[in-house]
Amino acid sequence: MPAWLLTLTLAISVSGMQTWFKLVSREPDPATGSRHALTLDDAVFWIDWVVTAVSALFLFLLGAAQDNKPIGTSYVFAALVALVLGGMVLPYAFRILCYDGTGKIKSWVHVAIADAVGLLVLFACVAAGVKTYGA
């Protein structure tokens, strides 16, 4: 199975389990008449995906270093870009673009955009890690 397909399958599976756990563990509010307690914010997975991406890339690089495999400068640069982008730039950019003043995500479009960017970071980190450490 290609690394990108395995990554996508794992990301969707974990997100699905996370949503299921939220669904069954929360009591719905009787005042709203809703049958569940899920909110729009429960569809936000970009945070999990970016943290997983950066962690996986650094683990790939660490594994390659321990196995005495050469690590190209471009992969070290990719790790630094992923760390800076995922850990510093994206949270502030999303706070400005996707969230309102109360900390709630604005709409489904904003959820889709944020999650798509998070998934792209995850794909990029896994691709760089696989090329560094091997499949």
Side-chain angles (χ1 to χ4, degrees), residues 91-115:
Y92 290 110
F94 288 155
R95 182 168 92 182
I96 294 166
L97 300 173
C98 297
Y99 291 89
D100 64 17
T102 66
K104 302 270 186 206
I105 195 134
K106 293 178 182 177
S107 70
W108 279 106
V109 172
H110 293 92
V111 169
I113 290 168
D115 283 350

Side-chain angles (χ1 to χ4, degrees), residues 5 13 18 21-22 30 34 40 50 66 77 82 101 105 110 116 119:
L5 185 57
S13 299
Q18 204 172 9
F21 291 155
K22 290 174 185 177
S34 179
L40 187 59
V50 169
Q66 287 181 338
F77 181 72
I105 195 134
H110 293 92
L119 200 55

Side-chain angles (χ1 to χ4, degrees), residues 22-35:
K22 290 174 185 177
L23 178 68
V24 298
S25 65
R26 296 181 189 160
E27 267 308 305
D29 184 7
T32 64
S34 179
R35 297 187 325 177

